[in-house]
Amino acid sequence: FDVPFQHLHQQCMKMGFGHPPPGQTQPAPGCIWVRRRVRQLLRCFTRCCSLCLDCMDILLRVLGPLMVLLAVFLIGFVAYTFFTIIVPQLADEGTSSPMLLGQLALGCFILVNIMYNYAMAVCLRAGEPPPFPGEGDAEAGDGSLSLRQCQKCLRSKPPRAHHCSVCKQCVMKMDHHCPWINNCVGFNNYRYFCLFMLYLALKRPPNFRFADAQCISLSWLISLCIFLALCLLGGFHAYLVVTNQTTIEFHINMGNRHAAKRKGEVYRNPYDLGHSRNFQEVFGPNRFLHFLWMMPYLAKRPTGSGASFPTVSELEPV
């Protein structure tokens, strides 16, 4: 009967009754009540945060198609203003024919590339990992490879893959979920996302006065706001490309650097292969100065399947 009595004694001690064992002080009943209330508040706060995140995911799924339509409308409005108002106004002001044809050709080139890269970023799947193999398949495979399984979507989870709570699936080399394309940015569509931002930034605000026309004024404001936003976002993604990181890995690596610094060590991103190789990991084996990478319909595709990536330790010494 010693075990039941010991259990009963412990329960009484938790409730604030009885005498504590020798060498221990009995906590006051008020302290126990405060601890319980704190634990209840923490549980309630955790549930509220989880509920808010679930509501945000639902909101992004609902607003995604609307934001895509809004983006297409804004691009179309600015293009309409350029071709139907600005170009005729340039012709009326006596702009030479070669200059006018050059403006038209450049405008068409930028517009086609904006719409092509945007359509590819929206429609192309970011990169879904293969199904997790069964026990028989896992034994038949290479035993040196440690396969991970996502506990949410139950698919394979290769290196650099993360689970998207909005898409409800894992994405290979996931960068983030972008509501403006209603899709995740991952291994398959990251270069199209970057090129879309690049060509969108090239569409600079026209040099006209605000009083010229309402459409020109509104297009000028839209273009200026987009340009300023892309200077920040595009600059950040340019840094990520040359350092071979994703947005998620950027935050993870920052934490790893701080932890290593406290230990007196130096942390290095294992996927940082140098600026040239990092660039080719995103835009394919195309030379930067040839500028063929700016036309993905002509350039070579990035190598690899998204399930594995070269690391610094795998590089051959020069």
PDB file of all heavy atoms in Angstrom, residues 25-46:
ATOM      1  N   THR A  25      10.720  22.535   1.284  1.00  0.00           N
ATOM      2  CA  THR A  25       9.793  23.524   1.839  1.00  0.00           C
ATOM      3  C   THR A  25       8.474  23.446   1.097  1.00  0.00           C
ATOM      4  O   THR A  25       8.444  23.226  -0.119  1.00  0.00           O
ATOM      5  CB  THR A  25      10.390  24.935   1.702  1.00  0.00           C
ATOM      6  OG1 THR A  25      10.638  25.193   0.305  1.00  0.00           O
ATOM      7  CG2 THR A  25      11.684  25.072   2.480  1.00  0.00           C
ATOM      8  N   GLN A  26       7.406  23.622   1.808  1.00  0.00           N
ATOM      9  CA  GLN A  26       6.083  23.536   1.209  1.00  0.00           C
ATOM     10  C   GLN A  26       5.744  24.851   0.502  1.00  0.00           C
ATOM     11  O   GLN A  26       5.843  25.922   1.093  1.00  0.00           O
ATOM     12  CB  GLN A  26       5.036  23.268   2.299  1.00  0.00           C
ATOM     13  CG  GLN A  26       3.610  23.218   1.755  1.00  0.00           C
ATOM     14  CD  GLN A  26       2.609  22.972   2.855  1.00  0.00           C
ATOM     15  OE1 GLN A  26       3.010  22.735   3.994  1.00  0.00           O
ATOM     16  NE2 GLN A  26       1.339  23.019   2.531  1.00  0.00           N
ATOM     17  N   PRO A  27       5.376  24.796  -0.807  1.00  0.00           N
ATOM     18  CA  PRO A  27       4.989  26.038  -1.486  1.00  0.00           C
ATOM     19  C   PRO A  27       3.671  26.558  -0.944  1.00  0.00           C
ATOM     20  O   PRO A  27       2.787  25.795  -0.572  1.00  0.00           O
ATOM     21  CB  PRO A  27       4.862  25.596  -2.959  1.00  0.00           C
ATOM     22  CG  PRO A  27       4.592  24.127  -2.902  1.00  0.00           C
ATOM     23  CD  PRO A  27       5.313  23.624  -1.682  1.00  0.00           C
ATOM     24  N   ALA A  28       3.565  27.858  -0.938  1.00  0.00           N
ATOM     25  CA  ALA A  28       2.335  28.471  -0.442  1.00  0.00           C
ATOM     26  C   ALA A  28       1.185  28.186  -1.404  1.00  0.00           C
ATOM     27  O   ALA A  28       1.385  28.101  -2.619  1.00  0.00           O
ATOM     28  CB  ALA A  28       2.541  29.976  -0.292  1.00  0.00           C
ATOM     29  N   PRO A  29      -0.054  28.027  -0.881  1.00  0.00           N
ATOM     30  CA  PRO A  29      -1.202  27.785  -1.767  1.00  0.00           C
ATOM     31  C   PRO A  29      -1.382  28.891  -2.795  1.00  0.00           C
ATOM     32  O   PRO A  29      -1.800  28.650  -3.925  1.00  0.00           O
ATOM     33  CB  PRO A  29      -2.383  27.716  -0.804  1.00  0.00           C
ATOM     34  CG  PRO A  29      -1.775  27.333   0.513  1.00  0.00           C
ATOM     35  CD  PRO A  29      -0.418  27.953   0.541  1.00  0.00           C
ATOM     36  N   GLY A  30      -1.054  30.128  -2.417  1.00  0.00           N
ATOM     37  CA  GLY A  30      -1.189  31.221  -3.377  1.00  0.00           C
ATOM     38  C   GLY A  30      -0.246  31.077  -4.561  1.00  0.00           C
ATOM     39  O   GLY A  30      -0.609  31.372  -5.709  1.00  0.00           O
ATOM     40  N   CYS A  31       0.976  30.613  -4.297  1.00  0.00           N
ATOM     41  CA  CYS A  31       1.940  30.415  -5.390  1.00  0.00           C
ATOM     42  C   CYS A  31       1.459  29.343  -6.350  1.00  0.00           C
ATOM     43  O   CYS A  31       1.606  29.459  -7.568  1.00  0.00           O
ATOM     44  CB  CYS A  31       3.307  30.049  -4.824  1.00  0.00           C
ATOM     45  SG  CYS A  31       4.067  31.372  -3.842  1.00  0.00           S
ATOM     46  N   ILE A  32       0.892  28.252  -5.793  1.00  0.00           N
ATOM     47  CA  ILE A  32       0.387  27.176  -6.654  1.00  0.00           C
ATOM     48  C   ILE A  32      -0.743  27.691  -7.526  1.00  0.00           C
ATOM     49  O   ILE A  32      -0.826  27.378  -8.724  1.00  0.00           O
ATOM     50  CB  ILE A  32      -0.080  25.989  -5.788  1.00  0.00           C
ATOM     51  CG1 ILE A  32       1.107  25.421  -5.003  1.00  0.00           C
ATOM     52  CG2 ILE A  32      -0.741  24.918  -6.634  1.00  0.00           C
ATOM     53  CD1 ILE A  32       0.733  24.331  -4.042  1.00  0.00           C
ATOM     54  N   TRP A  33      -1.617  28.499  -6.963  1.00  0.00           N
ATOM     55  CA  TRP A  33      -2.742  29.040  -7.746  1.00  0.00           C
ATOM     56  C   TRP A  33      -2.230  29.943  -8.880  1.00  0.00           C
ATOM     57  O   TRP A  33      -2.725  29.883  -9.998  1.00  0.00           O
ATOM     58  CB  TRP A  33      -3.649  29.831  -6.808  1.00  0.00           C
ATOM     59  CG  TRP A  33      -4.858  30.399  -7.494  1.00  0.00           C
ATOM     60  CD1 TRP A  33      -6.044  29.788  -7.723  1.00  0.00           C
ATOM     61  CD2 TRP A  33      -4.962  31.718  -8.068  1.00  0.00           C
ATOM     62  NE1 TRP A  33      -6.905  30.620  -8.385  1.00  0.00           N
ATOM     63  CE2 TRP A  33      -6.261  31.819  -8.619  1.00  0.00           C
ATOM     64  CE3 TRP A  33      -4.110  32.802  -8.145  1.00  0.00           C
ATOM     65  CZ2 TRP A  33      -6.718  32.964  -9.249  1.00  0.00           C
ATOM     66  CZ3 TRP A  33      -4.557  33.937  -8.788  1.00  0.00           C
ATOM     67  CH2 TRP A  33      -5.842  34.023  -9.333  1.00  0.00           C
ATOM     68  N   VAL A  34      -1.191  30.757  -8.578  1.00  0.00           N
ATOM     69  CA  VAL A  34      -0.626  31.644  -9.598  1.00  0.00           C
ATOM     70  C   VAL A  34       0.008  30.828 -10.714  1.00  0.00           C
ATOM     71  O   VAL A  34      -0.155  31.141 -11.902  1.00  0.00           O
ATOM     72  CB  VAL A  34       0.401  32.592  -8.959  1.00  0.00           C
ATOM     73  CG1 VAL A  34       1.164  33.348 -10.039  1.00  0.00           C
ATOM     74  CG2 VAL A  34      -0.294  33.568  -8.019  1.00  0.00           C
ATOM     75  N   ARG A  35       0.729  29.758 -10.357  1.00  0.00           N
ATOM     76  CA  ARG A  35       1.368  28.931 -11.378  1.00  0.00           C
ATOM     77  C   ARG A  35       0.334  28.307 -12.308  1.00  0.00           C
ATOM     78  O   ARG A  35       0.520  28.261 -13.525  1.00  0.00           O
ATOM     79  CB  ARG A  35       2.204  27.833 -10.711  1.00  0.00           C
ATOM     80  CG  ARG A  35       3.426  28.347  -9.981  1.00  0.00           C
ATOM     81  CD  ARG A  35       4.110  27.224  -9.260  1.00  0.00           C
ATOM     82  NE  ARG A  35       5.211  27.695  -8.415  1.00  0.00           N
ATOM     83  CZ  ARG A  35       5.884  26.927  -7.588  1.00  0.00           C
ATOM     84  NH1 ARG A  35       5.563  25.638  -7.468  1.00  0.00           N
ATOM     85  NH2 ARG A  35       6.867  27.429  -6.867  1.00  0.00           N
ATOM     86  N   ARG A  36      -0.744  27.820 -11.718  1.00  0.00           N
ATOM     87  CA  ARG A  36      -1.778  27.208 -12.549  1.00  0.00           C
ATOM     88  C   ARG A  36      -2.399  28.222 -13.488  1.00  0.00           C
ATOM     89  O   ARG A  36      -2.654  27.938 -14.661  1.00  0.00           O
ATOM     90  CB  ARG A  36      -2.858  26.605 -11.647  1.00  0.00           C
ATOM     91  CG  ARG A  36      -2.404  25.358 -10.904  1.00  0.00           C
ATOM     92  CD  ARG A  36      -3.498  24.877  -9.983  1.00  0.00           C
ATOM     93  NE  ARG A  36      -3.087  23.677  -9.256  1.00  0.00           N
ATOM     94  CZ  ARG A  36      -3.804  23.132  -8.266  1.00  0.00           C
ATOM     95  NH1 ARG A  36      -4.942  23.704  -7.889  1.00  0.00           N
ATOM     96  NH2 ARG A  36      -3.371  22.039  -7.660  1.00  0.00           N
ATOM     97  N   ARG A  37      -2.670  29.419 -12.992  1.00  0.00           N
ATOM     98  CA  ARG A  37      -3.272  30.432 -13.845  1.00  0.00           C
ATOM     99  C   ARG A  37      -2.307  30.867 -14.959  1.00  0.00           C
ATOM    100  O   ARG A  37      -2.736  31.121 -16.088  1.00  0.00           O
ATOM    101  CB  ARG A  37      -3.674  31.657 -13.001  1.00  0.00           C
ATOM    102  CG  ARG A  37      -4.783  31.388 -12.009  1.00  0.00           C
ATOM    103  CD  ARG A  37      -6.055  30.909 -12.721  1.00  0.00           C
ATOM    104  NE  ARG A  37      -7.114  30.549 -11.801  1.00  0.00           N
ATOM    105  CZ  ARG A  37      -7.314  29.333 -11.326  1.00  0.00           C
ATOM    106  NH1 ARG A  37      -6.527  28.329 -11.729  1.00  0.00           N
ATOM    107  NH2 ARG A  37      -8.296  29.088 -10.490  1.00  0.00           N
ATOM    108  N   VAL A  38      -1.023  30.938 -14.644  1.00  0.00           N
ATOM    109  CA  VAL A  38      -0.036  31.291 -15.669  1.00  0.00           C
ATOM    110  C   VAL A  38       0.004  30.227 -16.752  1.00  0.00           C
ATOM    111  O   VAL A  38       0.052  30.535 -17.956  1.00  0.00           O
ATOM    112  CB  VAL A  38       1.352  31.502 -15.036  1.00  0.00           C
ATOM    113  CG1 VAL A  38       2.425  31.622 -16.127  1.00  0.00           C
ATOM    114  CG2 VAL A  38       1.357  32.742 -14.162  1.00  0.00           C
ATOM    115  N   ARG A  39      -0.017  28.937 -16.335  1.00  0.00           N
ATOM    116  CA  ARG A  39      -0.023  27.862 -17.321  1.00  0.00           C
ATOM    117  C   ARG A  39      -1.279  27.910 -18.182  1.00  0.00           C
ATOM    118  O   ARG A  39      -1.223  27.697 -19.390  1.00  0.00           O
ATOM    119  CB  ARG A  39       0.111  26.505 -16.623  1.00  0.00           C
ATOM    120  CG  ARG A  39       1.513  26.198 -16.130  1.00  0.00           C
ATOM    121  CD  ARG A  39       1.659  24.723 -15.810  1.00  0.00           C
ATOM    122  NE  ARG A  39       0.821  24.343 -14.678  1.00  0.00           N
ATOM    123  CZ  ARG A  39       1.226  24.297 -13.408  1.00  0.00           C
ATOM    124  NH1 ARG A  39       2.488  24.636 -13.122  1.00  0.00           N
ATOM    125  NH2 ARG A  39       0.430  23.927 -12.437  1.00  0.00           N
ATOM    126  N   GLN A  40      -2.420  28.187 -17.586  1.00  0.00           N
ATOM    127  CA  GLN A  40      -3.656  28.294 -18.353  1.00  0.00           C
ATOM    128  C   GLN A  40      -3.604  29.458 -19.338  1.00  0.00           C
ATOM    129  O   GLN A  40      -4.064  29.333 -20.479  1.00  0.00           O
ATOM    130  CB  GLN A  40      -4.842  28.457 -17.402  1.00  0.00           C
ATOM    131  CG  GLN A  40      -5.160  27.208 -16.586  1.00  0.00           C
ATOM    132  CD  GLN A  40      -6.275  27.449 -15.589  1.00  0.00           C
ATOM    133  OE1 GLN A  40      -6.796  28.562 -15.474  1.00  0.00           O
ATOM    134  NE2 GLN A  40      -6.637  26.400 -14.850  1.00  0.00           N
ATOM    135  N   LEU A  41      -3.046  30.591 -18.900  1.00  0.00           N
ATOM    136  CA  LEU A  41      -2.928  31.739 -19.799  1.00  0.00           C
ATOM    137  C   LEU A  41      -1.991  31.440 -20.967  1.00  0.00           C
ATOM    138  O   LEU A  41      -2.257  31.837 -22.111  1.00  0.00           O
ATOM    139  CB  LEU A  41      -2.431  32.961 -19.019  1.00  0.00           C
ATOM    140  CG  LEU A  41      -3.421  33.595 -18.042  1.00  0.00           C
ATOM    141  CD1 LEU A  41      -2.746  34.716 -17.266  1.00  0.00           C
ATOM    142  CD2 LEU A  41      -4.636  34.144 -18.791  1.00  0.00           C
ATOM    143  N   LEU A  42      -0.904  30.730 -20.685  1.00  0.00           N
ATOM    144  CA  LEU A  42       0.026  30.370 -21.760  1.00  0.00           C
ATOM    145  C   LEU A  42      -0.639  29.437 -22.763  1.00  0.00           C
ATOM    146  O   LEU A  42      -0.450  29.585 -23.982  1.00  0.00           O
ATOM    147  CB  LEU A  42       1.283  29.732 -21.174  1.00  0.00           C
ATOM    148  CG  LEU A  42       2.220  30.665 -20.407  1.00  0.00           C
ATOM    149  CD1 LEU A  42       3.383  29.882 -19.807  1.00  0.00           C
ATOM    150  CD2 LEU A  42       2.742  31.764 -21.322  1.00  0.00           C
ATOM    151  N   ARG A  43      -1.411  28.460 -22.257  1.00  0.00           N
ATOM    152  CA  ARG A  43      -2.115  27.559 -23.179  1.00  0.00           C
ATOM    153  C   ARG A  43      -3.120  28.333 -24.016  1.00  0.00           C
ATOM    154  O   ARG A  43      -3.249  28.107 -25.229  1.00  0.00           O
ATOM    155  CB  ARG A  43      -2.818  26.456 -22.395  1.00  0.00           C
ATOM    156  CG  ARG A  43      -1.886  25.481 -21.695  1.00  0.00           C
ATOM    157  CD  ARG A  43      -2.652  24.269 -21.197  1.00  0.00           C
ATOM    158  NE  ARG A  43      -1.882  23.512 -20.229  1.00  0.00           N
ATOM    159  CZ  ARG A  43      -2.070  23.570 -18.914  1.00  0.00           C
ATOM    160  NH1 ARG A  43      -3.021  24.366 -18.415  1.00  0.00           N
ATOM    161  NH2 ARG A  43      -1.319  22.861 -18.098  1.00  0.00           N
ATOM    162  N   CYS A  44      -3.850  29.246 -23.386  1.00  0.00           N
ATOM    163  CA  CYS A  44      -4.836  30.044 -24.109  1.00  0.00           C
ATOM    164  C   CYS A  44      -4.157  30.936 -25.148  1.00  0.00           C
ATOM    165  O   CYS A  44      -4.643  31.066 -26.281  1.00  0.00           O
ATOM    166  CB  CYS A  44      -5.626  30.887 -23.114  1.00  0.00           C
ATOM    167  SG  CYS A  44      -6.931  31.886 -23.874  1.00  0.00           S
ATOM    168  N   PHE A  45      -3.015  31.526 -24.804  1.00  0.00           N
ATOM    169  CA  PHE A  45      -2.278  32.373 -25.739  1.00  0.00           C
ATOM    170  C   PHE A  45      -1.781  31.562 -26.925  1.00  0.00           C
ATOM    171  O   PHE A  45      -1.839  32.015 -28.081  1.00  0.00           O
ATOM    172  CB  PHE A  45      -1.114  33.044 -25.013  1.00  0.00           C
ATOM    173  CG  PHE A  45      -0.267  33.905 -25.893  1.00  0.00           C
ATOM    174  CD1 PHE A  45      -0.725  35.148 -26.317  1.00  0.00           C
ATOM    175  CD2 PHE A  45       0.986  33.477 -26.304  1.00  0.00           C
ATOM    176  CE1 PHE A  45       0.054  35.945 -27.141  1.00  0.00           C
ATOM    177  CE2 PHE A  45       1.764  34.273 -27.124  1.00  0.00           C
ATOM    178  CZ  PHE A  45       1.301  35.508 -27.541  1.00  0.00           C
ATOM    179  N   THR A  46      -1.296  30.342 -26.657  1.00  0.00           N
ATOM    180  CA  THR A  46      -0.822  29.482 -27.742  1.00  0.00           C
ATOM    181  C   THR A  46      -1.954  29.117 -28.689  1.00  0.00           C
ATOM    182  O   THR A  46      -1.788  29.130 -29.914  1.00  0.00           O
ATOM    183  CB  THR A  46      -0.185  28.205 -27.160  1.00  0.00           C
ATOM    184  OG1 THR A  46       0.865  28.568 -26.256  1.00  0.00           O
ATOM    185  CG2 THR A  46       0.381  27.330 -28.264  1.00  0.00           C
TER     186      THR A  46
END
